[in-house]
Amino acid sequence: MGTSNQFYKTNDYRAMAYPYQITSLEQYKKDYQRSVDEPEEFWGAIAENFLWRKKWDKVLDWNFSEPKIEWFKGGKLNITENCIDRHLETMGDKPAIIWEPNNPEERTRVVTYSRLHKRVCQFAQVLINNGVKKGDRVCIYMGMIPELAYAVLGCARIGAIHSVIFGGFSAQSIADRLYDAQAEFIVTCDGAYRGAKDIPLKSIIDDALIGNRTIKKVIVYTRTRTPISMLKGRDVWWEDEMEHAESQVEKDNIVSFPATEMDAEDPLFILYTSGSTGKPKGVVHTIGGYMVWTNYTFINTFQYTPGDIHFCTADIGWITGHSYILYGPLSAGATSVMFEGIPTYPDAGRFWDIIDKYKVNILYTAPTAIRSLMSYGMDPLKYKDLSSLKTLGTVGEPINEEAWHWYDEHIGQKKCPIIDTWWQTETGGTLISNLAGVTPAKPSWATLPMPGVQPLLVDEHGEEVTEPDEHGMLKGNLCIKAPWPGILRTTYGDHERCRTNYFATYKDLYFTGDGALKDKDGNYRITGRVDDVLNVSGHRIGTAEVENAINMHAGVVESAVVGYQHDIKGQGIYAFVIHSNVHGDEELTRKDIFQTVSRVIGAIAKPDKIQFVSGLPKTRSGKIMRRILRKIAEGETKNVGDITTLLDPGVVEEIIKGKL
Ligand code: PRX
């Protein structure tokens, strides 16, 4: 328990081992079985390796019907003591975060665990000074800079609930999220650098705050020196606040800021994600289970060895950044590379430069990034030393075999295991993945479930699929039978929505929204969403959300959005739009609609194609037949499915003719 654990006592971090690291296929099988047979004993033993102020009363209490899920309830802790304080004695000088700026000419910043401790304590004090209390919601809208990590962890230190919003979302999206979370505080920057662009974050926040009555304070960090407006009484400068806090938390070179004692089941953060209907949902993760899950999956899937340099290329605005840039690696005492920019700036060799520069051992990225970099050919790889790499990972979307092999041959040089980690915002961390070099990889298959994860394939009636298809595979909708520590607990402010979205489709099962195949060896291959959610460049976008945005444009009568296969992004967004006056200037109308979608959601949701149509294929009851539109968007001209039930079958032919 607590400070007496093996982890804390180690003097040399390189010699430090994780007692729950799985090191062989046999052990995986044994641990998996045990996690299913005796989940409380299994996870209780793993949780012993963390720093608790008080031990939990019960490891697990759950039912999926409400749902009620409690892990380590009654346990008292602070996650930042686990991510920072407990490493200080033995690895205070070890880099926690290595920050690579957008502009390679700019200076790298190395944040040691001691420095991270100081900055997080200081920022926690800033939050207190500005009136933030335990349980308050703090929205964070920043670029990928170390201050973002200080802000996130500063919230966690005082028990405030952070809600990070990705820099690509619009003012309207932010306003919706602020309202839903009833947030009272914002941490932002004047601007953010992303490739050749400079995103005016503060000015977007100002737009989001027009008419807002809940936000009390906006803390602004200077990154781009873009001129911004600062509202008296509401907006304060990060630098001034930090300077003031410094004298409060540091005396005689000793930094002290007590971490707030939290219950394992207190919320840690809200992260908004798209669903098949309406507005994004605020997925809520709680402290204890999320900590154990991100740490356990980080160590086991990547086979992290103390001393390894881990580079996850995701943005902290998404769950991958939360779990595998911050909480997972830091709780394991790892060194995490944080990159401000994009893979193609200033050129398509940027990732390879970073790997070479910091001798990165683990690279974790999205198939979209791999496909995009592949398209530049071999030139960007010339003279880049990638020999430090030991493990490669992918996440966010299915990886096609071609990209898998390219990754294997040209990046891993055929000596690095590739892990294909399948998971979701709601799952907190990886659920299905091979363990690097420990369990077998299979190109484009996520393979085996992590200990604690019990997948099940069901048909549309919720019956378990047991009959293999002609290829010997089971095929169905992917559900999970029992909770793992990192599962979401609720959707913020609306528990019923959580129930209906995830736990009501099939009785007593968590429904993922994904379809999957299972081979005879028990490996899973995720085939993609089976609901109306698109996965564009590894980002989730609801078709209903995009339609709502398009429909807001003047002149649009109705629209239907579907996904289609896109060589780089995995899926592209195809919109069929009925517009009252396209005869004016089609191209201009299209641009106007792009602009509307960018305003309402953000540039990430901009359709790739807009086809103007005079009608949509609808049933007599008025339901749009998306499966027909999906076929058309994929280029099918003949077999678009049964159209006899349509109100006006003629419309299909017209749409096929006008296909872009
Ligand atoms: O469809 C699955 C796909 O991404 C969805 C989850 O998206 P999000 O919550 O944004 O989280 C992304 C990062 C964890 C899933 O429902 N997905 C994620 N990982 C994979 C994947 N599809 C196939 N293979 C994966 N490895």
Side-chain angles (χ1 to χ4, degrees):
M1 281 297 294
T3 54
S4 65
N5 71 46
Q6 178 187 348
F7 189 24
Y8 193 84
K9 279 258 168 96
T10 318
N11 289 322
D12 174 5
Y13 65 81
R14 283 178 188 275
M16 188 174 67
Y18 305 99
Y20 43 91
Q21 187 148 20
I22 299 167
T23 53
S24 66
L25 183 58
E26 292 64 45
Q27 192 194 342
Y28 161 77
K29 288 182 183 155
K30 231 170 68 199
D31 283 9
Y32 184 83
Q33 201 49 49
R34 188 141 178 262
S35 75
V36 171
D37 295 342
E38 304 175 327
E40 296 205 43
E41 289 77 358
F42 184 82
W43 291 109
I46 289 167
E48 294 279 349
N49 294 280
F50 294 80
L51 194 60
W52 298 85
R53 299 244 188 119
K54 174 186 163 282
K55 200 170 166 170
W56 49 89
D57 301 323
K58 185 156 177 33
V59 174
L60 172 64
D61 196 7
W62 70 287
N63 70 64
F64 273 171
S65 53
E66 291 178 53
K68 169 182 152 179
I69 303 154
E70 290 174 345
W71 283 95
F72 314 113
K73 178 88 175 153
K76 303 291 178 198
L77 77 164
N78 186 289
I79 197 167
T80 68
E81 289 186 335
N82 282 278
C83 288
I84 310 172
D85 301 45
R86 68 168 170 162
H87 310 316
L88 291 177
E89 192 184 316
T90 53
M91 15 176 201
D93 295 334
K94 181 183 174 181
I97 295 172
I98 297 176
W99 178 75
E100 168 73 11
N102 180 60
N103 177 354
E105 310 277 298
E106 201 185 323
R107 187 176 56 90
T108 294
R109 289 166 65 188
V110 176
V111 184
T112 62
Y113 274 96
S114 300
R115 178 51 60 119
L116 182 63
H117 177 246
K118 180 172 169 182
R119 292 290 179 241
V120 168
C121 287
Q122 234 174 307
F123 193 70
Q125 182 67 55
V126 167
L127 291 170
I128 297 283
N129 292 348
N130 280 281
V132 184
K133 298 181 302 299
K134 174 176 168 174
D136 287 349
R137 276 78 52 220
V138 178
C139 157
I140 301 176
Y141 187 64
M142 301 173 87
M144 285 283 286
I145 51 176
E147 284 69 21
L148 167 55
Y150 308 156
V152 165
L153 296 166
C155 287
R157 188 123 186 128
I158 67 165
I161 302 169
H162 57 78
S163 177
V164 183
I165 301 179
F166 175 62
F169 283 113
S170 69
Q172 181 63 54
S173 289
I174 298 169
D176 293 344
R177 286 159 170 76
L178 292 175
Y179 177 76
D180 188 83
Q182 290 294 295
E184 292 177 325
F185 304 92
I186 296 178
V187 189
T188 189
C189 301
D190 49 354
Y193 295 124
R194 266 180 77 77
K197 284 197 212 126
D198 170 352
I199 304 162
L201 298 181
K202 174 61 165 64
S203 140
I204 297 170
I205 287 288
D206 288 338
D207 287 347
L209 289 184
I210 295 170
N212 177 292
R213 288 175 190 280
T214 56
I215 294 295
K216 296 177 180 155
K217 281 279 160 68
V218 180
I219 302 171
V220 186
Y221 178 79
T222 313
R223 171 69 187 124
T224 55
R225 301 201 170 272
T226 313
I228 56 170
S229 116
M230 292 289 281
L231 210 68
K232 198 178 286 168
R234 187 194 71 184
D235 301 350
V236 296
W237 293 107
W238 168 293
E239 294 78 2
D240 295 346
E241 297 295 310
M242 284 293 264
E243 199 181 310
H244 176 56
E246 187 162 20
S247 57
Q248 294 170 279
V249 299
E250 186 173 346
K251 291 212 171 55
D252 304 326
N253 261 338
I254 296 174
V255 177
S256 87
F257 181 91
T260 301
E261 185 168 291
M262 305 296 290
D263 191 278
E265 276 301 334
D266 282 334
L268 174 63
F269 65 84
I270 305 171
L271 189 57
Y272 284 87
T273 188
S274 293
S276 49
T277 50
K279 291 209 180 296
K281 305 173 281 262
V283 168
V284 175
H285 284 288
T286 56
I287 299 166
Y290 177 79
M291 172 183 76
V292 169
W293 190 246
T294 52
N295 176 283
Y296 181 81
T297 51
F298 171 71
I299 287 166
N300 282 300
T301 58
F302 296 107
Q303 286 293 304
Y304 181 81
T305 312
D308 282 351
I309 309 285
H310 172 78
F311 177 23
C312 165
T313 69
D315 191 288
I316 292 176
W318 308 107
I319 191 71
T320 308
H322 281 61
S323 300
Y324 299 117
I325 295 178
L326 294 181
Y327 289 112
L330 297 178
S331 66
T335 297
S336 189
V337 176
M338 180 177 184
F339 175 40
E340 184 183 34
I342 57 169
T344 49
Y345 181 82
D347 59 52
R350 195 65 197 278
F351 279 0
W352 324 132
D353 282 328
I354 295 174
I355 291 164
D356 194 344
K357 182 167 168 188
Y358 302 115
K359 304 294 165 227
V360 166
N361 306 110
I362 303 170
L363 173 67
Y364 191 34
T365 194
T368 291
I370 299 169
R371 287 190 296 261
S372 151
L373 295 173
M374 255 171 86
S375 73
Y376 289 85
M378 289 301 131
D379 263 8
L381 279 157
K382 259 193 207 151
Y383 313 116
K384 308 288 156 72
D385 179 5
L386 305 182
S387 62
S388 56
L389 286 172
K390 296 200 308 198
T391 300
L392 304 176
T394 75
V395 59
E397 49 183 319
I399 180 162
N400 48 314
E401 292 205 21
E402 195 193 351
W404 196 98
H405 287 294
W406 188 85
Y407 203 28
D408 182 36
E409 274 170 41
H410 300 292
I411 307 308
Q413 290 153 3
K414 291 221 163 204
K415 63 178 181 53
C416 301
I418 297 179
I419 58 170
D420 179 351
T421 64
W422 171 81
W423 58 294
Q424 311 178 295
T425 304
E426 294 84 348
T427 70
T430 297
L431 293 202
I432 303 182
S433 172
N434 50 319
L435 312 180
V438 171
T439 64
K442 187 170 173 182
S444 82
W445 287 67
T447 75
L448 299 170
M450 295 299 293
V453 176
Q454 300 182 53
L456 187 73
L457 297 181
V458 301
D459 62 21
E460 67 267 33
H461 309 296
E463 297 297 326
E464 182 170 359
V465 177
T466 48
E467 281 302 308
D469 66 7
E470 65 274 26
H471 309 290
M473 307 276 180
L474 299 177
K475 184 174 182 199
N477 293 342
L478 179 61
C479 295
I480 317 283
K481 266 194 265 186
W484 59 97
I487 188 174
L488 87 163
R489 302 302 195 263
T490 189
T491 45
Y492 193 79
D494 193 348
H495 194 62
E496 177 57 14
R497 192 162 177 213
C498 174
R499 191 186 69 80
T500 50
N501 258 290
Y502 306 106
F503 300 94
T505 315
Y506 305 115
K507 194 172 173 331
D508 291 329
L509 294 174
Y510 167 80
F511 177 43
T512 64
D514 280 323
L517 299 174
K518 183 180 182 182
D519 72 8
K520 59 177 180 9
D521 301 320
N523 292 308
Y524 288 88
R525 174 183 195 155
I526 313 303
T527 49
R529 303 289 303 194
V530 293
D531 53 8
D532 288 323
V533 172
L534 306 179
N535 190 327
V536 180
S537 304
H539 300 147
R540 246 158 88 172
I541 298 170
T543 52
E545 241 182 289
V546 183
E547 286 165 9
N548 290 343
I550 293 175
N551 296 349
M552 284 170 84
H553 184 69
V556 170
V557 180
E558 199 177 8
S559 65
V561 165
V562 297
Y564 69 99
Q565 205 192 327
H566 188 288
D567 285 349
I568 303 277
K569 302 187 200 180
Q571 269 192 314
I573 304 179
Y574 198 121
F576 298 89
V577 176
I578 306 176
H579 191 281
S580 57
N581 179 26
V582 272
H583 303 294
D585 183 336
E586 242 190 45
E587 211 33 55
L588 191 59
T589 310
R590 226 176 240 125
K591 284 189 181 144
D592 288 346
I593 294 175
F594 288 152
Q595 197 63 26
T596 308
V597 175
S598 292
R599 282 249 172 242
V600 178
I601 306 176
I604 51 166
K606 260 196 330 204
D608 296 273
K609 294 183 180 178
I610 295 178
Q611 179 181 345
F612 294 108
V613 296
S614 65
L616 292 167
K618 285 189 182 174
T619 60
R620 290 194 177 86
S621 60
K623 197 172 162 290
I624 297 173
M625 299 286 276
R626 286 163 194 287
R627 77 181 152 69
I628 294 177
L629 293 175
R630 269 195 290 268
K631 286 247 162 104
I632 298 175
E634 291 291 1
E636 186 61 63
T637 53
K638 297 207 166 54
N639 301 318
V640 294
D642 181 14
I643 57 169
T644 54
T645 57
L646 293 182
L647 192 60
D648 173 13
V651 79
V652 173
E653 199 156 318
E654 182 217 300
I655 297 176
I656 292 174
K657 275 204 193 114
K659 157 103 185 12
L660 299 173

